[in-house]
Amino acid sequence: MIDLKGVILAAGEGRRCRPLTQTRSKVMLPVGNRPFMEYVIRALAANGIEDIYVVVGYQKERVMDYFEDGIDFDVAITYIEQNELLGTAHALLKAEQYVDEEFLVVNGDNLIDKRAVNELVSAKGDNVILAALRRHTGDYGVLIVDNGLVTEIIEKPGRPCSGILNTGSYKFTPDVFDALKQAPISERGSYELPETIMQMIKEGTQIVPLITKGIWADAIFAWDLLNANSLALGMDEPKIMGDVEEGAMIKGPVHLGEGSIVRSGSYLVGPVSIGEDCDIGPNAVILPSTSVGDSARIGPHSEVRNSILMNDARIGSGCIISDSVIGASCTLRDQVVVETGSCVVEIEGVFQRAEFGAILADDVSVGARVLASPGTVVGTKASISSGAAIRGTINRDSRVIC
C-alpha cells in the first residue's frame, strides 16, 4: 500500500466571504466551533494520511499559530508559502519538491468528512476528481462525464442547474506537476487547477470522476456558513463538560465545553455546540444549528437560533438573533433584534439573492434597541449607536448614528 501524502490548498482569502475574511482567511472560518481546515486535517488523519503539506498565503500566521506542527491533530504539517496568490495550479506547483508518489489535494476551505476522503483514497485511476451531485446556483465547476471519464469542466456556469460538481479534491500522480508547469492562464488572469485539468484531458490524460457519498460542503458566501455549520454540528459526538444549573433544560445533542455554565431557566435544543468558558443565561434560549465560540456571553432572556457566534462575542439581555453570523469580539447590547428573511446582497459588484439575518465581522459594536433588517452586512470594527435601524452593507470602521 502506498503511503499517501496530502496537500491542502489554504493560501487564498475567500473574498466573497467578506467581511468575515477581512481578519482571517476562509480556511479559518469556524463551523461547528472548528475552523474549516480542521475538518480537512482530521479527515485526512482518519485515513492514515499523516504527512500533510499546507500551502499558505493570506493571513498565514493565523493558520500556522492554530495548527502549529500538527502534532495535536496526529499529523505532521509542513507549511509552504505562496507569496503571490496566482491561483490553485500555481499553489499546488509549490508542493512539487515534497511529493514523489501518488497524493491527495484538498481545499482547506471545504467541509469534508473521513468517508469522502476514504472514497478518494480507494478510488481506481491515477487522476481522480472527487465529485458531488448537487442542485446549485452556478458558482461551482460542473463536470461533463462520458463513459466514466471527465470530458469537460464547465467552470462556474453562473446559472442555477443540477449536475456533477467538482469539489476541488483530487488524487494525482506526480506527473501532474509537468502539466502544472504549462498551466494555461484563466479568464481571471491566474493559473487554476480546473483549466489545467482541461488541458490534461485535451492531451489525452484520463480523469476519473468519483461521486462521493460522504459529507462535502463549501461556503461561497458568508451566509453559506450557516448550512456548513448545521452539517458540522452532526459530525462530532457532543459532551457536557461544563455546568448546567438546576432549572435549565437541555434537549437533543448539545456540546458544552469546559468552564462553561448554562444558568437556571435556560432552554437549549440541539444540535448546539458551546465552547469553553461561556456564560449562558439565565433564561436564555438557544435553538438548533447554533454554535457559540469560546468565552462568549449570552445574556438573560435572549434567544439565538441557527446562528454562529464566534469567540468572545457578547450578547446582551432580551436580544433575538436568527440566521446570523456574529464575528469574534462583537458586542450586542440589550434588546438587539436581527430579523431574518429573503434579501438581495451586493457582493463584489454582483447582486446575490439570499435568505439570512445579519453578518457581523469582528469587533463590531451594536448599541441597545437596534433593529437589523434581513441581509444586513457589517464590516470590521463598525459601531452602531443605540436605537438605530440598519440594513444593507455598512463598511468597516464606519459609525452609524441614530
Side-chain angles (χ1 to χ4, degrees), residues 231-246:
L231 289 171
L233 288 171
M235 293 173 65
D236 287 327
E237 189 69 29
K239 298 179 181 179
I240 302 295
M241 295 181 287
D243 295 326
V244 180
E245 290 186 347
E246 185 177 353

Side-chain angles (χ1 to χ4, degrees), residues 165-235:
L165 305 190
N166 177 10
T167 68
S169 297
Y170 310 92
K171 182 167 72 171
F172 288 130
T173 67
D175 292 341
V176 74
F177 292 113
D178 292 332
L180 293 172
K181 292 171 184 175
Q182 304 173 51
I185 300 178
S186 71
E187 294 179 356
R188 291 170 284 175
S190 56
Y191 302 91
E192 304 294 344
L193 268 173
E195 284 83 355
T196 304
I197 293 170
M198 273 304 305
Q199 187 66 33
M200 293 168 64
I201 292 171
K202 291 176 182 177
E203 294 173 358
T205 302
Q206 293 187 342
I207 307 293
V208 178
L210 175 69
I211 298 174
T212 182
K213 296 180 181 177
I215 292 176
W216 174 83
D218 189 13
I220 295 293
F221 304 106
W223 53 86
D224 294 328
L225 289 171
L226 297 173
N227 177 62
N229 185 62
S230 180
L231 289 171
L233 288 171
M235 293 173 65

Side-chain angles (χ1 to χ4, degrees), residues 24-154:
R24 63 175 68 74
S25 60
K26 186 180 169 188
V27 302
M28 294 303 293
L29 290 175
V31 290
N33 272 339
R34 300 174 189 246
F36 266 122
M37 201 170 89
E38 184 171 338
Y39 292 95
V40 175
I41 290 175
R42 290 183 182 276
L44 292 172
N47 284 277
I49 300 173
E50 298 176 354
D51 293 322
I52 296 177
Y53 301 89
V54 180
V55 184
V56 293
Y58 177 76
Q59 293 282 343
K60 63 183 179 182
E61 293 81 7
R62 276 210 176 200
V63 177
M64 296 167 73
D65 287 348
Y66 185 90
F67 293 102
E68 297 181 327
D69 60 4
I71 191 170
D72 291 340
F73 305 93
D74 299 321
V75 298
I77 296 177
T78 299
Y79 295 98
I80 307 167
E81 187 169 357
Q82 185 186 22
N83 293 315
E84 296 181 273
L85 302 184
L86 297 178
T88 52
H90 180 264
L92 181 55
L93 186 56
K94 293 286 185 179
E96 180 182 17
Q97 64 177 301
Y98 301 96
V99 178
D100 54 9
E101 293 182 302
E102 193 174 57
F103 66 102
L104 300 191
V105 181
V106 187
N107 283 327
D109 59 2
N110 289 172
L111 182 68
I112 193 168
D113 72 349
K114 62 183 180 182
R115 178 177 181 177
V117 170
N118 181 259
E119 292 168 344
L120 191 55
V121 169
S122 305
K124 296 180 180 180
D126 290 337
N127 299 286
V128 181
I129 296 178
L130 188 72
L133 288 176
R134 294 286 192 280
R135 176 169 178 80
H136 67 109
T137 57
D139 293 300
Y140 298 94
V142 177
L143 305 181
I144 305 301
V145 177
D146 183 36
N147 199 27
L149 296 173
V150 177
T151 59
E152 188 177 0
I153 302 175
I154 302 175

